[in-house]
Each structure stands twice: as C-alpha cells, then as structure tokens.
Amino acid sequence: MNVGILTIFPDFVRVIKEYGIISKAIENGLLDIEIFNLRDFTKEKHRVVDDYPFGGGPGMVMKPDPFFDFFKFYTEKYGKPYVLLTSPQGDVLNNEIAKELALKERMVIICGRYEGIDERVMSLVDMEISIGDYVLTGGELPAMVITDVVSRFIPGVVEDESVKNDSFYNDLLDYPHYTRPRTIDNMPVPDALVSGNHEEVDLWRRKESIRKTMMKRPDLFMKHQIDEIDKKAILMLFKELMKHAQ
Ligand code: SAM
C-alpha cells in the first residue's frame, strides 16, 4: 500500500517512517509512505499557502490552488489516489473504517491547518476522517494516527493472531497481559496462565476480556456476537462472582 501525506510540516510527519512496526513494514516492502510539502505546489515566491477568509472573521484559510496543483501532479505521476481529508467534521475513525482503507492501493491524506481548507478542495476528497470530537491545531497527528491504524490491517504487517486479539476486533476489549517475574510485590501471575494448558489459558483470557468489556465498555459488549467459548467464559465469570458474593 502507498500512503501519501500532504502537509506544510513534512518534518513533523516524517518520524512516522522511522520507528517500530511501520519502519519494518516499509523495509519489507509492505508499505510505502511518501510525504509531500504543500508549499512545493505554490506559485508565489514566498510559498504562501493561506489567505484571508471571504466574509471576514478570525483566522486564515488554506488556499485551494496548491491542492489542485498537487493532485494534478500526483495523478499524472501515479494515477488517481483515494483521498482522505483530516477534519473534526468527518466520520470518526474506527477499526471498520481502517480495515476498509487498508484495501486501497494508493491513498493520500490531506493535513489541514489554520481555520481549515477552502471548501472547493472538497471536490477532490473521497472521505473526511476525524480522530475524535475535539479540535487539534492541524491534521498531521490525525494523518499519522490514520496511517498507523490502517497499516496494522495490511496483511503481514502485524501477526494476524495479534490483530484478532486486540481490543475492538470482535467487539471485546483485549485480555490482561503478564510477563516475568511470576510474582512482584505479592502480586502473582494468575494460575491459569502458568498452567501450560492452552485451553485453560484461552478460556481464562476470554473470561477476562468479557469482564473488562462489561465493566469498561458495556456498549461494546452489547454488540458482541456470543460463541461457544463465550458461553463457557461467562459461566466461569458468573461462578467466580457468586463465590466472592458468598
Ligand atoms: N475550523 C475547523 C472546524 O472547527 O471544523 C477546525 C480547523 S483545525 C484548527 C485545523 C485542521 O486540523 C483541520 O483542518 C484538520 O485537518 C485538523 N484537525 C483538527 N481536529 C481534528 C480532528 N479531531 N480529527 C481530524 N483532523 C483534525
């Protein structure tokens, strides 16, 4: 997959290519991230990308022409990409959207700044994405968040099993994780995890996933499709709660 990020702060965004799983995915040829400086597509000597808003009011607006010139250049070079605009007004990013986006071959993410972008640029945009109901100073962090979450759904970037156990995948939160030492400050690792019995481990993990989801995100649990392991895990959880209640 190829992700282009269009920004006036290329150095800010560049770090996403340099660390962890994303840098490995790039190394392994599963992902390519190209960062474009919007100022390279301005015609003025001072490479200005903003202007005063028609109708007055506070703040500046990103000029439309550098965007149109960038997409003309990009499309001539690579073909038409799927275009995302980072915006607090967009669909709020979640796993379902990320999975869909991971199927795109080429995607360009536009980072806004100032009061936002001239509305006519919307004619170039396929989807507006928000990363939450708050307003950031720019689209660079959202672009990095989108790139990161979408990358995890590109086959081969993260182990399939790992993605499936993560929070939200099946409308459950992830189970608790432990590593060595086996005991710290009188807090031992739960017996099931050191039993060496895979079925016991799986059942314990599902039970704890369900417990966490019911407590922290009951809305998510209400969407979860119950299977046979869930039934056993819920029964186990219920027995545990009854024991504590006695
Ligand atoms: N005036 C705009 C509004 O209220 O809808 C907000 C502009 S914001 C200061 C500047 C840029 O930051 C936006 O164009 C967008 O690219 C980005 N941005 C801010 N909050 C965001 C969010 N929650 N999700 C995605 N992008 C966001």
Side-chain angles (χ1 to χ4, degrees):
M1 172 179 215
N2 186 294
V3 180
I5 301 179
L6 182 60
T7 171
I8 57 169
F9 295 125
D11 290 339
F12 184 178
V13 178
R14 219 178 308 279
V15 287
I16 193 174
K17 297 173 70 166
E18 291 168 15
Y19 297 94
I21 286 172
I22 305 270
S23 76
K24 262 208 195 105
I26 295 172
E27 226 174 271
N28 294 337
L30 298 169
L31 175 67
D32 188 19
I33 300 176
E34 248 184 300
I35 297 161
F36 299 95
N37 188 344
L38 185 69
R39 291 192 196 280
D40 292 343
F41 298 88
T42 52
K43 293 194 178 88
E44 297 97 338
K45 194 168 128 210
H46 298 293
R47 295 161 48 97
V48 174
V49 291
D50 58 319
D51 207 341
Y52 293 97
F54 275 121
M60 300 296 275
V61 176
M62 293 185 95
K63 290 153 61 68
D65 24 325
F67 290 98
F68 283 94
D69 287 347
F70 166 78
F71 281 103
K72 189 169 179 296
F73 150 83
Y74 188 98
T75 306
E76 275 170 18
K77 190 166 177 195
Y78 297 120
K80 197 198 161 324
Y82 190 78
V83 181
L84 292 184
L85 172 65
T86 55
S87 161
Q89 302 178 14
D91 293 335
V92 179
L93 184 61
N94 60 25
N95 262 0
E96 294 317 306
I97 294 176
K99 265 188 249 174
E100 281 295 310
L101 293 176
L103 301 172
K104 309 283 177 207
E105 218 171 281
R106 271 189 181 278
M107 183 164 90
V108 170
I109 310 175
I110 300 174
C111 306
R113 279 271 154 183
Y114 313 109
E115 283 306 315
I117 301 173
D118 185 294
E119 192 65 20
R120 290 164 290 186
V121 173
M122 282 303 298
S123 63
L124 300 166
V125 171
D126 294 301
M127 188 179 196
E128 278 181 271
I129 297 228
S130 162
I131 61 162
D133 288 348
Y134 41 77
V135 176
L136 296 154
T137 54
E140 284 73 17
L141 290 171
M144 291 159 90
V145 169
I146 295 165
T147 305
D148 190 297
V149 66
V150 169
S151 301
R152 298 185 83 251
F153 287 108
I154 299 171
V157 169
V158 181
E159 260 182 74
D160 209 30
E161 206 46 35
S162 164
V163 174
K164 285 184 182 158
N165 285 329
D166 277 336
S167 295
F168 309 112
Y169 193 87
N170 279 326
D171 297 319
L172 286 179
L173 299 179
D174 195 7
Y175 50 76
H177 299 270
Y178 294 87
T179 184
R180 287 183 290 181
R182 238 171 112 156
T183 301
I184 188 162
D185 277 354
N186 287 326
M187 290 184 284
V189 171
D191 288 341
L193 296 183
V194 290
S195 65
N197 178 331
H198 288 305
E199 257 179 53
E200 200 180 325
V201 171
D202 286 349
L203 192 58
W204 183 89
R205 285 180 167 163
R206 186 68 66 90
K207 169 175 69 77
E208 292 306 315
S209 247
I210 290 173
R211 185 206 302 272
K212 277 194 175 209
T213 315
M214 282 175 162
M215 283 171 64
K216 296 182 181 178
R217 290 291 304 271
D219 59 311
L220 208 59
F221 186 73
M222 294 307 279
K223 288 193 275 174
H224 175 62
Q225 301 280 320
I226 306 269
D227 66 12
E228 288 307 308
I229 306 180
D230 290 321
K231 287 183 195 167
K232 287 186 193 167
I234 291 170
L235 214 56
M236 208 170 154
L237 191 57
F238 181 73
K239 278 185 191 161
E240 251 181 53
L241 293 173
M242 291 306 286
K243 207 166 136 193
H244 281 295
Q246 279 162 8

